[in-house]
Amino acid sequence: MRLRHDAGVWEIFVPHVGPGDLYKFEIVGPDGSLLPLKADPCGFAAELRPSTASQVAGLPPLRGVPAGRAPANRRDAPIAIYEVHAGSWKRPDGRFPAGASWPPNCPPMRPRSASPTSSCCRSASTPSTAPGATSRWACTRPARASGRPRTSRCSSRPATRRASACCSTGCRRISRPTRTAWRSFDGTALYEYADPREGFHRDWNTLIYNFGRTEVQAFLASSALYWIERFGVDGLRVDAVASMLYRDYSRPAGEWVPNCFGGRENLEAIALMKRINEQIGGEQPAAFTVAEESTAFPQVSAPTYAGGLGFHFKWNMGWMNDTLRYIAEDPVHRRWHHDLMTFGLVYAFSENFVLPISHDEVVHGKGSMLGKMPGDEWQRFANLRAYYGFMWGHPGKKLLFMGQEFAQPWEWRHDESLPWELLDNPRHAGMQRLIGDLNRLYRQVPALHRLDCDTAGFEWLIGDDRDQSVYAWARFDGDGGVALVLCNFTPVPREAYRLPLPDGPAHWREALNTDSQHYGGSDVGNGGRVLAAEEVPAHGRARSLELTLPPLSTLVLLPA
């Protein structure tokens, strides 16, 4: 190869090379020693593990934004995310789906980078969702060139056709870029920080990119844009942002390097995230970026011109942890933990939040969502239905991991298909119907989504009824529309319960009841009758209405 000194790029011309040919780089280190063969960090295709070669492939074509598609990143949009691990969503004949056998009704919402593990990197890759892919440019795709080894896992053409059909129905695809470093690629710390106090990640046993290098920033920013431009990905979710933001993340005193001002913030990583979000916003303004950030770092979802990181949304990890702690308590003890469900509203509008019940909550011994619920079988299903109702009525965009929508009873297993046969059971089928109806209501009622990220969209009606574990609030759309949400987290039905009312409509109807028989509940509720406001004070308000509050349930009321 020859070095283009003006650009710092090495190049070579090899005659008779064609698509599908395998290759690696042979590099001589600075000390003159021959290094192990290296895969191409910018390769567009790679062999399927355990093989590690890169493969000649052309640049995928540019994909335009579908005509008439509204931006999926608006704060006032109804956003409900279904997180898919495509390899275990459905497995035809128990095998990993490949090519034409890819489940036709599974939208490929999470394309992944390929993982040709070679001696030049330290990979934390597993067959599940660990952040260890080593190729930033090769999509996992099952394709078999004539007479050549099978390469990456998911065929781009059928997958992309199905993804396009999915997008035409209003679905969007969000990819999670994964993290690794190409260890000592040329015999030096080329991609990674040289100092292990900066460049080694203790939690995941991986190296950390040198975010301060212009070339590394360009490499990562270009990769982010590439997935949107070339594979039609609609959004990017950045994993473990806190580990990038802080130089002392998961490090004891004395084992980290302060920034140039003596602080703990990683200024280079902050600059990279701003750069990526600005680049995507400028070139792909309809795309969506979301950060999994677990600390109180300010303005993660604020624009960069206002001093923020520029993400459109941030996962609300505090809300998730608090509410899961609450719902796992036996109902008789919930009065002592009442504030876990209300505390999230203290900061709910400080960021543009997504409420995430992701794959992280159903792996590594955490059990399934249904398994977290206390009580007998009926109570566990009722608790989960009430929790989902609480979640969909709460300010913030929604995210569920696959299998949670029909109450998978055991922890997710990456090497097994989801137990779709459970939908023959009325309780599991009812849970799936509930999620469908919650999504329809969320989309159709502006009060439930338009001001998700604005204090004007929420008002407590009952936040202090800890003895009965009842919560109630109003949601507003800013144009006069209103919805009421009422939760009872005990198995005791509340007859003639007084619900205080905000200013506005005098007549209400029950639009959704998680205890409905349609969802597998006991069918306690208010049916189709109109609930009329009365001049009876309740919880400090002049007007109220009387209703039946079912056990372990969430109600949504709309103006009649």
Side-chain angles (χ1 to χ4, degrees), residues 60-61 100 122 147-148 170 197 199 241 251 274 297 302 306 344 361 374 390 402 408 420 422 433 451 465 474 495 516:
R122 177 69 63 90
R148 303 196 182 277
R197 294 176 300 168
V241 168
R251 295 180 186 275
K274 289 183 176 182
F297 191 90
E361 308 321 312
F390 169 85
M402 63 181 200
Q408 180 173 337
W420 295 104
L422 290 176
R433 284 193 294 271
L451 298 181
D465 190 358
E495 301 286 346
S516 167

Side-chain angles (χ1 to χ4, degrees), residues 108-183:
M109 296 173 73
R110 238 179 109 182
R112 294 290 305 274
S113 303
S115 300
T117 307
S118 72
S119 58
C120 68
C121 69
R122 177 69 63 90
S123 174
S125 181
T126 72
S128 59
T129 58
T134 55
S135 177
R136 288 285 180 181
W137 309 86
C139 177
T140 9
R141 56 187 179 197
R144 190 182 292 274
S146 177
R148 303 196 182 277
R150 191 173 74 154
T151 60
S152 36
R153 284 201 215 149
C154 80
S155 175
S156 59
R157 289 182 181 175
T160 301
R161 280 198 298 270
R162 290 187 189 118
S164 298
C166 170
C167 285
S168 70
T169 66
C171 293
R172 301 289 177 259
R173 288 161 290 152
I174 301 173
S175 177
R176 183 180 82 169
T178 49
R179 301 181 313 273
T180 190
W182 294 84
R183 177 183 290 274

Side-chain angles (χ1 to χ4, degrees), residues 459-461 473-476 482-484 499-506 508 533 541-545:
E459 184 179 331
W460 277 115
L461 301 177
W473 61 87
R475 298 292 309 276
F476 305 97
V482 60
L484 308 182
L499 174 66
L501 294 175
D503 295 336
W508 299 84
R541 294 178 183 266
R543 297 189 313 153
S544 65
L545 60 78

Side-chain angles (χ1 to χ4, degrees), residues 242-262:
S243 72
M244 299 170 65
L245 290 174
Y246 301 104
R247 287 175 163 268
D248 63 345
Y249 182 89
S250 197
R251 295 180 186 275
E255 295 189 24
W256 58 280
V257 180
N259 62 35
C260 59
F261 300 108

Side-chain angles (χ1 to χ4, degrees), residues 3 8-10 25 27-30 35 38-42 120-121 180-195 199 207-220:
L3 176 62
V9 175
W10 292 85
F25 294 124
I27 300 175
V28 177
L35 301 177
K38 307 298 179 92
D40 184 357
C42 296
C120 68
C121 69
T180 190
W182 294 84
R183 177 183 290 274
S184 302
F185 189 79
D186 66 347
T188 69
L190 188 67
Y191 287 89
E192 69 273 24
Y193 288 106
D195 189 332
L207 299 185
I208 299 173
Y209 284 112
N210 185 344
F211 301 119
R213 287 200 66 172
T214 302
E215 299 89 343
V216 173
Q217 282 209 7
F219 176 76
L220 296 173

Side-chain angles (χ1 to χ4, degrees), residues 314-327:
K314 170 182 169 174
W315 277 19
N316 194 336
M317 307 298 287
W319 175 92
M320 178 271 298
N321 285 313
D322 287 347
T323 60
L324 288 184
R325 278 179 57 202
Y326 177 89
I327 203 67

